Amino acid sequence: MRRVNMKTNTKLTKKDLFRANWRWLWASQLSWNYEKMMAPGYFYTVLPFLKKFYKNDELVDMMKMHSQFFNTNAFTAPFIIGMDLAIEEHQGYKAKETIAGIKTGLMGPLAGVGDTIFGVIIPTICGSIGAYMGLKGNALGAIIWLLVNIFILFARFAILPMGYYQGEKLINSAEGKLNAVTDSAILLGVTVVGALIPTVIKANVPFVFSAGKVTLKLQTVLNQIMPSLIPVLLVAFVYWLLGRKKMTSTKVILFVLFLGIALSYFHILGA
């Protein structure tokens, strides 16, 4: 049963929710700015519905409220939009403070969930697998990466109706589940990346010790201690560099590039 805003006698349909999703898809990042960040995109998304729900001074007041600062992950933001539309549809103008509180309270936690899953985990896992297949000359890697992005594009359309139908109750009951999903995704991502280190990164120590008829290859000794020890140490070193102050990813790339050339020149490290 649809909830109706008794003041304006309006109700939202599945077509309205799709329209909100579509507007957010186009406006969420195109209108991003350093002053209010995603607020213009949010305002553009809900504007047609504000015109349905309110008139005159109430409309102006709600438009000002929705123009305030807003910033979260673009993939999880529809959950907030869905909750917003459901509450405003049901309670109207008296829900102004509630809506402002929901937007402020949820944009941080959902940004953490969205950035972790959609910004780090999925690109790291699927991108690494696709890149590795590409390095092996398998074009399926690029196709997989393309299909993953298409799937995410359409899957995000289910988030707004989820927020709309469940409202505030869902975010309270699903908080533990969201944390569990995030933790599981992090564990999976770390496992995949860890497994890719010895297969993608090729580095060994070419030094050979000779004494009379005895020849000892240092890389053989290192392999007996732990296979792929050098690639693991190189990755750990890069992570350590990234954690240093005033160290950017560009500086790290240049430093590792020159370090690799120098070590190769003096036959200390080889591929």
Side-chain angles (χ1 to χ4, degrees):
M1 180 177 180
R2 295 288 184 183
R3 290 171 293 186
V4 179
N5 185 323
M6 300 304 296
K7 193 166 186 178
T8 59
N9 194 32
T10 59
K11 62 180 180 180
L12 300 183
T13 63
K14 291 183 178 180
K15 183 178 180 180
D16 290 323
L17 298 182
F18 180 84
R19 183 184 183 189
N21 257 322
W22 189 253
R23 290 173 74 91
W24 176 253
L25 177 65
W26 287 104
S28 58
Q29 300 290 358
L30 287 177
S31 56
W32 195 96
N33 64 78
Y34 283 102
E35 181 182 2
K36 297 186 177 181
M37 295 195 173
M38 304 174 82
Y42 193 103
F43 175 74
Y44 174 78
T45 301
V46 300
L47 181 58
F49 310 102
L50 297 181
K51 293 179 179 179
K52 281 188 176 183
F53 297 153
Y54 311 107
K55 302 295 182 183
N56 303 324
D57 292 343
E58 289 186 357
L59 175 60
V60 174
D61 200 21
M62 293 301 289
M63 289 172 68
K64 290 180 179 179
M65 188 273 289
H66 282 298
S67 298
Q68 295 174 358
F69 177 91
F70 181 79
N71 188 46
T72 188
N73 182 270
F75 293 93
T76 53
F79 190 94
I80 301 176
I81 297 173
M83 292 181 64
D84 175 4
L85 294 178
I87 295 172
E88 290 195 63
E89 179 189 40
H90 182 61
Q91 296 184 341
Y93 183 74
K94 66 180 182 180
K96 176 184 174 182
E97 298 301 325
T98 302
I99 298 302
I102 288 175
K103 290 174 64 177
T104 303
L106 293 184
M107 64 182 181
L110 288 182
V113 173
D115 290 347
T116 301
I117 296 177
F118 296 105
V120 178
I121 302 301
I122 293 178
T124 299
I125 296 176
C126 299
S128 299
I129 294 174
Y132 177 69
M133 294 177 68
L135 288 174
K136 295 298 183 179
N138 191 342
L140 186 60
I143 297 175
I144 290 176
W145 181 236
L146 180 62
L147 292 177
V148 167
N149 282 275
I150 293 175
F151 172 78
I152 293 174
L153 178 65
F154 285 97
R156 64 189 290 183
F157 272 68
I159 298 178
L160 193 148
M162 186 188 303
Y164 174 79
Y165 288 118
Q166 299 300 327
E168 290 179 297
K169 183 179 178 180
L170 178 61
I171 196 61
N172 292 329
S173 63
E175 183 177 0
K177 295 179 181 178
L178 290 175
N179 291 334
V181 170
T182 302
D183 293 340
S184 300
I186 291 174
L187 178 60
L188 177 61
V190 171
T191 302
V192 172
V193 172
L196 285 173
I197 289 174
T199 57
V200 175
I201 301 176
K202 303 296 182 182
N204 60 72
V205 180
F207 180 78
V208 178
F209 174 78
S210 299
K213 296 182 179 180
V214 178
T215 300
L216 180 63
K217 295 181 179 180
L218 182 57
Q219 185 60 50
T220 302
V221 177
L222 294 176
N223 289 339
Q224 292 175 348
I225 298 174
M226 188 180 83
S228 302
L229 176 61
I230 299 302
V232 171
L233 292 178
L234 286 175
V235 172
F237 177 63
V238 170
Y239 270 97
W240 178 79
L241 286 178
L242 290 172
R244 307 293 295 176
K245 291 183 178 179
K246 298 182 179 180
M247 181 61 72
T248 64
S249 57
T250 302
K251 292 181 180 179
V252 170
I253 292 173
L254 293 175
F255 177 78
V256 172
L257 178 62
F258 287 119
L259 180 64
I261 294 174
L263 293 177
S264 297
Y265 179 79
F266 292 104
H267 302 288
I268 300 176
L269 196 67

